[in-house]
Amino acid sequence: MKALKSDSVLGDIWGGTAAMLVALPSAIAFGVTIFSALGSQFGAQGAVAGILGTVALGLLAPMFGGTNRLISAPCAPAAAVLSAFAIEFMGRGGSPELGLLLLALMGLLSGGLQLIMGGLKLGGLIKYMPYPVVSGYLSGVGMIIIGSQLPRFLGTPKGVNFLGALTSPGLWRWQGMAVGGATIAVMLLAPKVTKKVPAPVLGLVAGILTYLALGLFDPALMTLAGNSFVVGALGGGGGGLLETFSARWSALGDLGFGALRDLVVPALTLAVLLSIDTLKTCVVLDALTRTRHDSNRELIGQGLGNLAAAALGGVPGAGTMGATLVNMSSGATTRLSGLIEGIAALIAFALLANLISWVPVASLSGILLVIGVRMINWSSLGFLKSRSTILDFAVILAVIACALSISLIVASGVGVVLAVFLFIREQVHGSVVRRIASGDQTFSKRVRVQDEMDILAERGNQTAIVELQGSLFFGTTSQLFHALEADLKTRRYLILDMRRVQSVDITAAHMLDQIKDMLGERHGVLIFSQIPKHLPSGKDMEQYFDQLGLVRSGHPVRMFGEVDEAMEWAEDQIIAEAALPDNEESLLELPDIELFKDRKKETLIELEKSMETREVKAGETIFSIGDHGDELFLIRKGTVRIVLPLAGGHVRHLATFGKGSFFGEMAFLDGEARSAEAVAFTDAHLYVLSRKGFDAFADAHKKVGLTLMEGLASVLASRLRYTNAELRALEG
């Protein structure tokens, strides 16, 4: 066990260190991007802010978040939102010092909002963001990063936008393009050569070496002061790091209510996007490791990490996919790896702080360009190939358009609204009516005598059995009414099988109430069967119908636990209306039973001597599955159900036999053990004919015995014909 623990710690150390090597170059690049928007002299501060954000998130997020193997660091959404805010703020004539303070306050506010989200248990909601929205938002962030970094890659002066940089070759500086090109080339080719060293690290090293090689031919490149090709001195606009830190918070005196008000929406945007980014990574991690993260706890951990990062002047971040996957593949198993990543980043900062000044800006731009291109979901172009997914592509396109022209939070909101519309459209176009069957083709499990079956074959079309499915809501109400409209004009009994219904809203319930009234005007009945007790939403549909007055007593509406019970009730009403003589209280004599009609009275008297009579109380078992018995049971009065016992004490209802019917014929014919269980549904009076008694009677009355067997076969064949007709109706 100790050896295993030692291996686990070693894996966490290797994983955390490798993850730091992936996260740190990107974090530096993100920091430079954000802070350079305040002025090129603040690029060095941005590099330090990226490192400080990596350290703070690495130390706190794993400790309080608790998701094993997750690596948290500054990320692309943070760079997109914060740099856009900084550019807009400076465009309004703001001061860089106040801009630094506002960036820190935005990080604090977003971290606080994440704490609130976690405390209010909103983590489970954020992770259910629709895929087209997430795809569009990530692609939008990628395009924003590309748009902000391409001018830096080309070396154009500050203030030149994306289109201006592309259309002004005269402003391009080949030295920066060479450094950035080397970085991109190595990042793309490195994984094909080795995966032991992260591609961003090799790309950054390639960029630095290219820059140093150019410096051999151009001594101006080896000068730090006034050199726009490199990050520059860590003091930023002047002074050391401590002076810069204190100067930032001293700007609190210049902070007004308007500036704070302008922070709210960007901070909310940042909090939501960082949360989505984190939980999306956690979901992928769960799938790869077969674990389950705690969304709300993770939001609290991320919020604390971002609060600490902002308080130190660092860049906020989230759980990042690339570093997390490297961490896992390097052998990490616990959240200790996240702490190791933070500690390793702190050590790297202490050892390499002086070298950061010489990191080429174009090399960082190259890293971000690769990240931006990879964030774009190119596979979504495949949605254009199918008509069924072209609208999903439209949602992605709308999100990207809003992200580029308005803001990321507006883009997410627009995407969610469009995704809801797509969902409603899908529900509306999907049929809520699974099947409609007629009562003269589909019958209950009640086994009836031939006279009753003839009536049902002739008049059973007064009943319609409608299997519903999906969601009954305002979007499908009209569809349901049109599907039932023809039946409402001709049927008297409308059975709605509700077992596959997922939800019902008040609009659908009102429409069902109207259907009930329409049937009532024609002395018909609306029948509900198998109403779900608990819908996926937790709603009790039966209680909901009762609250709306849909199933109150005195109304032309009935409810049954199973569709078969509803069909049996409707069949009983049709048979009763046909005035078929039937006194349920009287006992049938042998000549009255269908199997022995038109037989000589003397012969039946002789046969009755071979039988015994039996009375069974409701609920008593007549025979059980596996019993060895060969008796044929003929029902003089009452009803008997044939059921199949299942696991967990459940039973499946196979058939119901009523007055004048017989059951037990399989064992009577083949002598095998009983294959089901017979239970008296009501008090029953039975004739019982054993095979031994029948054989003795048949020896003396061979012709009658043969006729009896033929009659038995005829009744069974008749039942089979009705079953075949029902199967054909179901297939149609």
Side-chain angles (χ1 to χ4, degrees):
M1 180 65 76
K2 289 184 178 180
L4 287 174
K5 188 173 182 181
S6 175
D7 291 342
S8 174
V9 172
L10 187 60
D12 287 334
I13 292 174
W14 281 114
T17 303
M20 180 275 294
L21 293 175
V22 173
L24 203 58
S26 301
I28 293 172
F30 292 140
V32 171
T33 296
I34 297 166
F35 281 64
S36 293
L38 301 173
S40 58
Q41 70 273 26
F42 291 98
Q45 282 194 41
V48 174
I51 298 173
L52 292 176
T54 305
V55 172
L57 283 162
L59 294 177
L60 290 178
M63 191 180 301
F64 295 98
T67 301
N68 290 330
R69 304 180 181 91
L70 182 67
I71 297 297
S72 300
C75 58
V81 174
L82 291 172
S83 60
F85 174 82
I87 291 170
E88 183 181 351
F89 175 76
M90 295 302 292
R92 296 198 305 263
S95 67
E97 292 74 19
L98 182 57
L100 288 171
L101 175 62
L102 291 176
L103 290 176
L105 290 176
M106 191 187 301
L108 288 171
L109 188 55
S110 65
L113 288 171
Q114 284 185 296
L115 282 176
I116 294 173
M117 290 177 187
L120 294 177
K121 311 295 184 184
L122 298 180
L125 298 178
I126 293 175
K127 70 179 181 181
Y128 291 120
M129 187 72 72
Y131 172 75
V133 179
V134 175
S135 176
Y137 133 70
L138 290 175
S139 298
V141 169
M143 291 180 184
I144 289 172
I145 290 174
I146 293 171
S148 66
Q149 294 306 308
L150 191 63
R152 297 177 185 277
F153 175 82
L154 297 176
T156 57
K158 182 183 177 183
V160 179
N161 60 23
F162 176 78
L163 290 177
L166 281 179
T167 56
S168 305
L171 300 177
W172 297 356
R173 303 172 72 182
W174 69 270
Q175 295 94 331
M177 293 169 62
V179 172
T183 301
I184 292 173
V186 172
M187 275 193 71
L188 297 177
L189 296 175
K192 298 179 180 180
V193 178
T194 179
K195 294 185 179 180
K196 293 183 178 180
V197 182
V201 173
L202 293 176
L204 184 59
V205 170
I208 293 173
L209 292 176
T210 302
Y211 182 81
L212 293 176
L214 293 175
L216 296 177
F217 302 97
D218 186 355
L221 296 178
M222 305 307 294
T223 303
L224 196 60
N227 188 350
S228 60
F229 282 106
V230 295
V231 168
L234 296 187
L241 290 176
L242 291 177
E243 289 83 352
T244 303
F245 182 78
S246 60
R248 174 181 306 173
W249 293 104
S250 66
L252 280 169
D254 300 330
L255 192 63
F257 177 76
L260 286 174
R261 181 191 59 207
D262 293 340
L263 282 179
V264 175
V265 173
L268 177 61
T269 302
L270 187 59
V272 172
L273 296 184
L274 294 181
S275 299
I276 293 173
D277 218 32
T278 296
L279 298 181
K280 175 173 62 68
T281 303
C282 289
V283 169
V284 173
L285 195 58
D286 285 348
L288 293 174
T289 60
R290 297 181 181 178
T291 55
R292 187 181 180 89
H293 74 280
D294 186 333
S295 299
N296 297 307
R297 180 180 174 183
E298 194 56 53
L299 286 185
I300 291 173
Q302 294 291 321
L304 290 172
N306 282 325
L307 283 173
L312 292 173
V315 177
T320 57
M321 187 74 71
T324 297
L325 295 180
V326 167
N327 181 41
M328 185 184 71
S329 62
S330 299
T333 56
T334 71
R335 51 183 171 154
L336 175 63
S337 58
L339 291 169
I340 296 295
E341 182 256 355
I343 295 170
L346 182 61
I347 294 172
F349 177 49
L351 296 178
L352 305 174
N354 292 331
L355 297 179
I356 292 174
S357 303
W358 289 97
V359 173
V361 172
S363 186
L364 297 176
S365 295
I367 292 173
L368 290 182
L369 284 173
V370 173
I371 292 173
V373 171
R374 287 175 175 172
M375 288 188 72
I376 298 174
N377 186 8
W378 300 103
S379 62
S380 63
L381 292 173
F383 293 169
L384 290 171
K385 297 177 181 178
S386 173
R387 293 184 61 183
S388 61
T389 55
I390 194 167
L391 288 177
D392 293 291
F393 182 79
V395 171
I396 295 174
L397 209 59
V399 173
I400 293 173
C402 289
L404 297 178
S405 60
I406 307 174
S407 70
L408 286 169
I409 194 68
V410 171
S412 298
V414 168
V416 170
V417 171
L418 290 175
V420 169
F421 278 123
L422 283 182
F423 171 77
I424 293 176
R425 175 183 174 275
E426 187 70 22
Q427 293 295 313
V428 169
H429 282 77
S431 177
V432 293
V433 177
R434 187 168 184 262
R435 182 185 294 116
I436 299 179
S438 180
D440 59 347
Q441 295 178 317
T442 301
F443 307 98
S444 70
K445 294 176 182 177
R446 173 75 175 259
V447 179
R448 301 181 182 276
V449 296
Q450 189 60 45
D451 289 343
E452 292 178 337
M453 292 305 298
D454 291 342
I455 291 172
L456 293 178
E458 180 184 350
R459 305 187 184 186
N461 58 3
Q462 296 180 44
T463 303
I465 304 97
V466 183
E467 296 181 40
L468 302 180
Q469 63 184 3
S471 299
L472 306 182
F473 71 114
F474 63 89
T476 56
T477 298
S478 177
Q479 176 203 132
L480 177 58
F481 182 80
H482 285 303
L484 301 179
E485 190 172 10
D487 293 295
L488 291 175
K489 296 176 181 178
T490 58
R491 314 281 190 173
R492 288 191 59 194
Y493 305 101
L494 185 64
I495 300 173
L496 300 183
D497 183 356
M498 308 289 286
R499 61 185 147 170
R500 295 182 179 86
V501 173
Q502 299 296 311
S503 64
V504 179
D505 73 354
I506 194 167
T507 305
H510 177 67
M511 189 271 294
L512 292 174
D513 192 57
Q514 290 179 312
I515 289 176
K516 175 197 69 177
D517 292 338
M518 292 174 65
L519 287 168
E521 291 172 0
R522 299 177 51 254
H523 305 290
V525 182
L526 177 61
I527 305 169
F528 293 105
S529 73
Q530 211 159 327
I531 297 178
K533 270 291 183 184
H534 298 288
L535 296 173
S537 62
K539 181 188 293 183
D540 186 327
M541 192 191 299
E542 186 174 329
Q543 185 182 40
Y544 182 61
F545 281 179
D546 183 61
Q547 291 171 349
L548 296 176
L550 183 58
V551 293
R552 289 179 183 170
S553 59
H555 290 202
V557 60
R558 293 185 67 94
M559 290 191 302
F560 292 92
E562 293 184 7
V563 67
D564 184 70
E565 294 176 356
M567 293 169 65
E568 185 177 329
W569 181 86
E571 289 171 354
D572 288 342
Q573 306 310 304
I574 294 171
I575 292 171
E577 290 167 2
L580 191 69
D582 181 22
N583 185 355
E584 288 291 339
E585 298 301 320
S586 64
L587 291 177
L588 290 180
E589 300 300 330
L590 210 55
D592 300 322
I593 294 176
E594 181 183 34
L595 189 59
F596 303 111
K597 281 186 177 181
D598 303 324
R599 303 289 178 239
K600 291 181 179 180
K601 185 177 180 180
E602 295 78 8
T603 305
L604 294 180
I605 292 174
E606 192 68 24
L607 176 61
E608 190 170 359
K609 294 178 182 178
S610 303
M611 298 180 176
E612 65 171 292
T613 58
R614 186 181 304 176
E615 292 186 27
V616 186
K617 295 294 182 183
E620 288 186 9
T621 300
I622 300 170
F623 58 73
S624 298
I625 188 170
D627 286 354
H628 290 281
D630 56 10
E631 298 92 353
L632 178 69
F633 298 89
L634 303 104
I635 303 176
R636 305 180 67 193
K637 175 185 173 183
T639 54
V640 175
R641 282 194 168 182
I642 308 299
V643 297
L644 186 65
L646 302 175
H650 301 289
V651 295
R652 181 181 295 278
H653 176 207
L654 299 180
T656 299
F657 292 88
K659 190 175 180 180
S661 297
F662 61 84
F663 62 95
E665 68 279 359
M666 290 177 63
F668 180 78
L669 292 172
D670 62 19
E672 297 293 329
R674 302 289 185 184
S675 58
E677 191 170 281
V679 180
F681 187 63
T682 63
D683 292 347
H685 290 255
L686 308 172
Y687 279 124
V688 182
L689 175 62
S690 69
R691 184 58 187 263
K692 181 179 179 182
F694 169 76
D695 289 343
F697 170 79
D699 285 341
H701 304 83
K702 290 184 171 56
K703 185 176 180 181
V704 176
L706 181 61
T707 304
L708 178 63
M709 282 295 188
E710 289 176 351
L712 190 65
S714 176
V715 173
L716 293 177
S718 177
R719 292 178 186 175
L720 184 59
R721 281 197 299 272
Y722 284 112
T723 301
N724 290 339
E726 185 172 358
L727 289 173
R728 286 195 297 271
L730 290 174
E731 289 180 359

